Amino acid sequence: MELSRRTFFKFMGATGAAVTTKTSSAGAWTSKAPPDPYGCLVDLTRCIGCRKCEEACSEVNQLPAPESPHCQCTIFDKKRRPDESAYTVVNRYFTGKVDKFDQPLPTFAKVQCMHCQDPACASACIVGALTKDEVTGAVVYDVTKCIGCRYCMVACPFEIPAYEYFDPITPRVMKCTFCNERLSKEGGLPGCAAICPTEAITFGKRKTLLKLAKKRLRENPGTYIDHVYGEKEVGGTSWLYISSVPFEAVNLPVLPDRPSPKLAETIQHSLFSYLWSPIALFAVLGAFMYRSGKKQSRPEKREVPDGP
């Protein structure tokens, strides 16, 4: 049997499937999410695109001032993403809605770190530089532990963490902090929630925000899509959204309910829960490869044609 690339990955896939179906207490995955963290509810029907949240975020986190803070004419012509100099940005989307004069109606959407209940970035971080605060629920970053591997950037389903590539000496991973120091030490609100003039951002406990969101959906069935984005996506997020247009139309990705770290951590815990697990795995692989090599080296029998 030839050990081709395809055969090897088939074998590894079968091994992974067997591991994930193993029902043992050592391999069972459990959520590490706090029971009722802080969160924010963003009502996209109330956002007017003033970008005050961008200004407040930059001021609180000592970041550069937002691009063209007082000009809303051209800034929305391009789609922006949070980066190393901006933890949150607001974009404009035209989704087909029109006003009574048949003019297109824009929908504005703020984007930032979603502070997942079970964050994939923290799970992927091999040195514990990213962790979930047990009290506030913020996903916080410890620059003194970071080694710059950037696995968090690959793991994040929302593509949020950015990296200071321009700083060769002390580069950092940059993302929304949820103003964690204000929450834990001062008892205040995140800068963006505190400044929003239309109350498009509501801050509070996650369970309370979910009740508020569902109340608005129930009382205004013709206004909102019947879904709270972030309630279940990737296991739930601390930032929740309600909208009058489909969420994918405002660049909020369609994601499964299963927490992103669940599969990877289940495989890791199952394989390495006992000392002999990796030894057994490599022994099986070694035997498989030896058998394959032995068959390949065995001379082929040639049939001798009968004489005339």
Side-chain angles (χ1 to χ4, degrees), residues 54 57-58 61 63-67 75 78-91 111-113 153 158-166 172-177:
E54 293 185 26
C57 178
S58 297
N61 293 287
L63 298 171
E67 180 184 357
I75 192 67
K78 59 181 178 181
K79 294 296 181 290
R80 298 176 298 147
R81 294 286 300 170
D83 57 25
E84 70 280 356
S85 63
Y87 289 165
T88 187
V89 296
V90 178
N91 285 312
V111 61
Q112 71 295 304
C113 173
M153 298 172 65
F158 298 100
E159 301 179 355
I160 291 297
Y163 194 66
E164 292 181 319
Y165 289 102
F166 64 87
R172 297 169 294 172
V173 170
M174 304 290 279
K175 71 170 199 64
C176 164
T177 64

Side-chain angles (χ1 to χ4, degrees), residues 64 99 118 295:
D99 60 18
D118 289 289
K295 286 188 175 183

Side-chain angles (χ1 to χ4, degrees), residues 22 270-283:
K22 176 184 176 183
S270 298
L271 283 177
F272 298 100
S273 57
Y274 301 102
L275 179 62
W276 52 263
S277 295
I279 298 174
L281 176 62
F282 285 112

Side-chain angles (χ1 to χ4, degrees), residues 28-274:
W29 183 86
T30 56
S31 172
K32 303 176 185 64
D36 192 18
Y38 288 115
C40 280
L41 172 64
V42 182
D43 189 336
L44 297 185
T45 68
R46 299 186 179 190
C47 182
I48 58 174
C50 68
R51 300 174 59 218
K52 290 293 183 183
C53 54
E54 293 185 26
E55 294 184 52
C57 178
S58 297
E59 182 178 346
V60 170
N61 293 287
Q62 299 179 346
L63 298 171
E67 180 184 357
S68 305
H70 304 296
C71 177
Q72 315 302 344
C73 302
T74 59
I75 192 67
F76 292 122
D77 290 343
K78 59 181 178 181
K79 294 296 181 290
R80 298 176 298 147
R81 294 286 300 170
D83 57 25
E84 70 280 356
S85 63
Y87 289 165
T88 187
V89 296
V90 178
N91 285 312
R92 179 184 64 191
Y93 300 90
F94 291 104
T95 61
K97 297 184 65 176
V98 296
D99 60 18
K100 59 182 179 180
F101 301 106
D102 288 333
Q103 295 300 311
L105 281 174
T107 297
F108 298 95
K110 175 185 184 295
V111 61
Q112 71 295 304
C113 173
M114 298 290 283
H115 296 278
C116 303
Q117 292 289 80
D118 289 289
C121 59
S123 176
C125 183
I126 60 178
V127 293
L130 287 162
T131 54
K132 181 83 170 173
D133 190 293
E134 295 181 356
V135 177
T136 65
V139 179
V140 294
Y141 171 68
D142 186 346
V143 66
T144 63
K145 295 182 179 180
C146 182
I147 60 174
C149 67
R150 288 161 282 170
Y151 290 164
C152 56
M153 298 172 65
V154 177
C156 177
F158 298 100
E159 301 179 355
I160 291 297
Y163 194 66
E164 292 181 319
Y165 289 102
F166 64 87
D167 188 343
I169 307 300
T170 57
R172 297 169 294 172
V173 170
M174 304 290 279
K175 71 170 199 64
C176 164
T177 64
F178 209 176
C179 294
N180 193 53
E181 289 190 3
R182 291 165 63 103
L183 302 187
S184 57
K185 295 181 180 179
E186 303 173 19
L189 278 68
C192 58
I195 202 173
C196 184
T198 61
E199 297 184 357
I201 308 171
T202 305
F203 172 78
K205 286 289 190 174
R206 188 173 185 272
K207 290 181 180 178
T208 303
L209 294 175
L210 280 171
K211 291 180 181 178
L212 173 61
K214 292 179 180 180
K215 181 174 182 290
R216 290 187 188 176
L217 300 188
R218 185 173 60 252
E219 294 179 352
N220 303 275
T223 301
Y224 296 100
I225 300 292
D226 189 18
H227 180 64
V228 181
Y229 190 92
E231 178 182 10
K232 296 180 179 180
E233 278 78 6
V234 291
T237 60
S238 291
W239 279 76
L240 308 166
Y241 287 76
I242 52 178
S243 171
S244 62
V245 300
F247 294 103
E248 55 269 29
V250 293
N251 208 30
L252 287 170
V254 178
L255 296 169
D257 294 348
R258 181 181 64 190
S260 298
K262 185 173 183 178
L263 177 59
E265 290 186 8
T266 298
I267 293 175
Q268 292 170 5
H269 294 168
S270 298
L271 283 177
F272 298 100
S273 57
Y274 301 102

